[in-house]
Amino acid sequence: MRYKLIVNPTSGRGTAESLIPLLESKFSAANYPFELVRTQAPEHALELAKNAAEEGFDVVVAAGGDGTANEVLNGLMMAKDAGYHTTMGLLAIGRGNDFAFGVGIPTGLEEGWEIIRKGDRKVIDVGLVKGGLFPQGRYFGNGIGVGFDAVVGFEAAKMKRLQGFLSYLVAALKTIFLYYKAPLVRLEYGDSSYELNALMVSIMNGRRMGGGFMMAPDSKIDDTLLDLCIAEQVSKLGVLALIPKFMAGTQANEAAIRTDRTTALKVTAIEGSLPAHADGETLCTEGDQLTIQLIPSQIEIIAP
């Protein structure tokens, strides 16, 4: 069995680069045939993963954060569309690691290596979003954030000194003063269509965003359903009061929160625009429409 290790050396503010010798030593000591390559630019991991699948590697391991995992997932899905089926591995050594959390993989090289060594596997659902920078479509493993949580991600990415969940928490507090007027949006899914001022629309395949905000605490990544968490317009103080609820995953009981499940969704801006991300990667900063669907049982992943 051949492994392709795709490492984003800048993940975890450069921590990933320092872990490469240890990573190589673990694969060598276990006599696992592998090739390791560092990513050099945005979208490089996507290209590397697609090529690795087409070259016959049995497992492609994404070593980094959510951005690296998303690119590898997209590369493997593109290869799958061309008839190449390759298993995905994951070493969560980035900042958010929310996709890894959703599939049950703990953060850290040592912990992730043990998962790969044991070799248990499961098949997960994958989402597809069209719109913004990706009219042709972008796959996602964890979730789509529209509105407030997208802006939080944009702000967290600007922070150079803070890492992990703390960077997202500080960004969330900052975003209260940057993004507080909810756009008027139309949500269409199932047999429903309704308009509301939505401060945030989270469309989750996984459970968590921002390293610690439980957008969909009961979601399962292989249940063939997307979990929706919709926050209506509230005051700045109302947003502040909701943040600990999202950290605890108890927001569903709040009056301003709607939750639901679906297999497909269309979000359209009627007044205002849609800032949005997919697995932490920017979809648009001022989009007008996104269409999202879940594709069941798409990728085999090494996970508990």
Side-chain angles (χ1 to χ4, degrees), residues 238-249:
V239 175
L240 188 62
L242 281 173
I243 287 175
K245 304 287 186 182
F246 276 93
M247 290 166 62

Side-chain angles (χ1 to χ4, degrees), residues 128-138 276 282-284 287-292:
L128 176 66
V129 56
K130 295 182 179 180
L133 299 172
F134 301 96
Q136 79 284 4
R138 179 81 172 187
T282 301
L283 287 173
C284 48
D288 53 11
Q289 188 176 83
L290 297 169
T291 58
I292 300 124

Side-chain angles (χ1 to χ4, degrees), residues 31-273:
N31 291 317
Y32 288 180
F34 73 94
E35 289 182 16
L36 184 146
V37 62
R38 294 167 172 83
T39 61
Q40 298 174 351
E43 301 301 294
H44 192 202
L46 186 156
E47 178 188 342
L48 291 169
K50 180 175 179 291
N51 291 343
E54 293 171 353
E55 290 165 10
F57 281 87
D58 301 286
V59 179
V60 177
V61 178
D66 286 319
T68 310
N70 178 264
E71 287 192 24
V72 168
L73 178 74
N74 271 271
L76 294 181
M77 285 297 293
M78 291 169 69
K80 183 175 184 288
D81 291 342
Y84 300 93
H85 296 263
T86 304
T87 299
M88 182 175 179
L90 194 56
L91 293 169
I93 52 176
R95 184 171 53 168
N97 304 313
D98 295 314
F99 175 58
F101 180 84
V103 295
I105 296 172
T107 301
L109 177 59
E110 295 285 352
E111 296 82 355
W113 161 250
E114 282 302 310
I115 299 294
I116 289 173
R117 188 186 62 77
K118 289 176 183 174
D120 294 334
R121 301 175 182 216
K122 62 185 173 188
V123 178
I124 65 168
D125 307 327
V126 174
L128 176 66
V129 56
K130 295 182 179 180
L133 299 172
F134 301 96
Q136 79 284 4
R138 179 81 172 187
Y139 295 106
F140 65 94
N142 187 54
I144 303 289
V146 181
F148 187 89
D149 61 331
V151 179
V152 170
F154 300 159
E155 290 302 312
K158 297 175 186 175
M159 295 184 183
K160 304 303 179 189
R161 295 183 179 179
L162 298 179
Q163 294 188 40
F165 176 59
L166 183 58
S167 67
Y168 290 99
L169 180 58
V170 172
L173 297 173
K174 184 177 179 182
T175 302
I176 291 173
F177 301 96
L178 295 174
Y179 188 85
Y180 49 82
K181 188 179 189 310
L184 178 63
V185 303
R186 181 186 299 116
L187 301 177
E188 300 169 74
Y189 61 93
D191 297 323
S192 303
S193 176
Y194 56 93
E195 297 178 5
L196 75 161
N197 291 99
L199 194 66
M200 181 181 75
V201 182
S202 295
I203 304 110
M204 301 296 297
N205 188 34
R207 299 168 59 205
R208 190 184 78 182
M209 282 187 184
F213 297 106
M214 301 297 293
M215 299 307 201
D218 299 322
S219 176
K220 292 182 174 61
I221 209 155
D222 56 0
D223 65 357
T224 74
L225 289 169
L226 294 165
D227 282 52
L228 308 181
C229 181
I230 302 153
E232 298 186 43
Q233 176 76 69
V234 293
S235 67
K236 293 176 187 176
L237 279 176
V239 175
L240 188 62
L242 281 173
I243 287 175
K245 304 287 186 182
F246 276 93
M247 290 166 62
T250 57
Q251 70 274 8
N253 300 321
E254 300 301 309
I257 302 296
R258 301 186 186 197
T259 60
D260 213 334
R261 289 190 171 104
T262 186
T263 57
L265 174 77
K266 182 186 287 185
V267 186
T268 306
I270 300 169
E271 295 174 8
S273 61

